[in-house]
């Protein structure tokens, strides 16, 4: 029963964490979108986006990430057999990728604060593409956890499907960004 409760909490805070990460990078995109605005409007919006990013990071994303991680570690402690399964090692590998992405987001939050309303140096299209990285990691982790050993057995079909998905999402981002520029 305890394991199931911790698992439910892990899933709930995983959803909260990813919601925070998804919206945070979207705020970076919105901040960058202000480059072409008039100075007064740009200043007001950038101040607001910086405030929103810091609050989202400190109040939702990081606390949810910490609770998600603590629950995950508790599940490993309660079910040490997980560490003997190949699919779980794969999940942990994807979580290393998530940790790297988390670090990148944290550095951007700090950068917004230090910019003091100046332009973010990262290209808009790069921010829009970076916005999809969390989606890819989420797909990888969820498919790995749901399919378990089948992920190992059918790895090449899953990798192929994943790359097709990545390609389609990236092309959609480029197309949307191109159409936005044409308007």
């Amino acid at each position: 029963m305890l394991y199931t409760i911790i698992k439910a909490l892990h899933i709930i805070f995983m959803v909260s964490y990813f919601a925070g990460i998804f919206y945070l990078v979207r705020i970076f995109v919105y901040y960058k979108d202000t480059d072409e605005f008039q100075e007064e409007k740009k200043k007001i919006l950038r101040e607001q986006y910086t405030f929103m990013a810091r609050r989202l990071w400190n109040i939702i994303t990081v606390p949810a990430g910490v609770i998600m991680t603590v629950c995950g570690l508790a599940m490993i402690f309660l079910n040490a057999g997980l560490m003997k399964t190949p699919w779980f090692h794969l999940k942990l590998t994807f979580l290393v990728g998530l940790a790297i992405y988390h670090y990148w987001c944290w550095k951007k939050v700090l950068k917004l604060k230090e910019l003091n309303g100046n332009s973010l140096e990262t290209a808009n299209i790069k921010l829009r593409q970076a916005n999809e990285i969390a989606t890819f990691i989420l797909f990888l982790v969820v498919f790995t956890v749901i399919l378990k050993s089948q992920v190992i057995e059918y790895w090449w079909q899953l990798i192929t499907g994943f790359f097709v998905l990545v390609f389609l999402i990236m092309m959609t981002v480029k197309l949307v960004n191109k159409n936005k520029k044409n308007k």
Side-chain angles (χ1 to χ4, degrees):
M1 177 76 164
L2 176 63
Y3 184 85
T4 307
I5 291 169
I6 292 172
K7 187 177 189 178
L9 290 171
H10 179 69
I11 292 168
I12 290 165
F13 284 100
M14 181 268 305
V15 170
S16 299
Y17 174 79
F18 272 96
I21 285 288
F22 289 148
Y23 190 53
L24 182 68
V25 182
R26 198 76 221 149
I27 291 172
F28 300 155
V29 171
Y30 295 154
Y31 186 99
K32 185 66 178 173
D33 283 346
T34 64
D35 281 355
E36 306 301 318
F37 292 4
Q38 293 175 0
E39 273 316 302
E40 188 176 331
K41 184 177 181 181
K42 182 189 307 187
K43 181 182 182 304
I44 292 167
L45 286 173
R46 285 183 174 177
E47 190 175 295
Q48 182 63 31
Y49 291 143
T50 301
F51 173 78
M52 289 168 64
R54 291 181 66 218
R55 295 284 297 246
L56 177 63
W57 184 256
N58 292 322
I59 296 173
I60 296 173
T61 309
V62 170
V66 168
I67 296 169
M68 171 187 71
T69 303
V70 167
C71 289
L73 292 171
M75 289 190 313
I76 293 170
F77 178 76
L78 292 172
N79 183 5
L82 287 171
M83 293 304 290
K84 296 177 183 169
T85 60
W87 70 266
F88 193 73
H89 290 209
L90 187 59
K91 176 189 175 183
L92 292 176
T93 302
F94 298 144
L95 293 181
V96 168
L98 181 60
I100 293 166
Y101 186 72
H102 178 93
Y103 177 77
W104 178 85
C105 289
W106 175 58
K107 295 306 274 183
K108 285 288 185 218
V109 169
L110 295 176
K111 184 71 173 173
L112 284 186
K113 182 182 176 189
E114 84 180 33
L115 282 173
N116 205 22
N118 292 316
S119 185
L120 192 58
E121 72 280 355
T122 309
N124 193 297
I125 188 71
K126 296 294 181 197
L127 290 170
R128 290 175 185 277
Q129 290 171 333
N131 196 40
E132 303 307 326
I133 292 172
T135 305
F136 302 143
I137 294 170
L138 181 62
F139 267 82
L140 291 169
V141 170
V142 169
F143 271 89
T144 300
V145 170
I146 298 297
L147 296 175
K148 294 184 177 25
S149 60
Q150 291 175 327
V151 166
I152 306 302
E153 187 178 343
Y154 298 105
W155 66 270
W156 69 269
Q157 293 97 326
L158 292 167
I159 294 284
T160 302
F162 177 73
F163 281 116
V164 167
L165 176 71
V166 167
F167 176 78
L168 290 173
I169 289 174
M170 289 300 184
M171 289 299 102
T172 302
V173 168
K174 282 190 174 212
L175 182 65
V176 167
N177 204 44
K178 182 180 176 188
N179 287 341
K180 184 180 168 225
K181 285 182 181 178
N182 291 336
K183 287 185 178 181

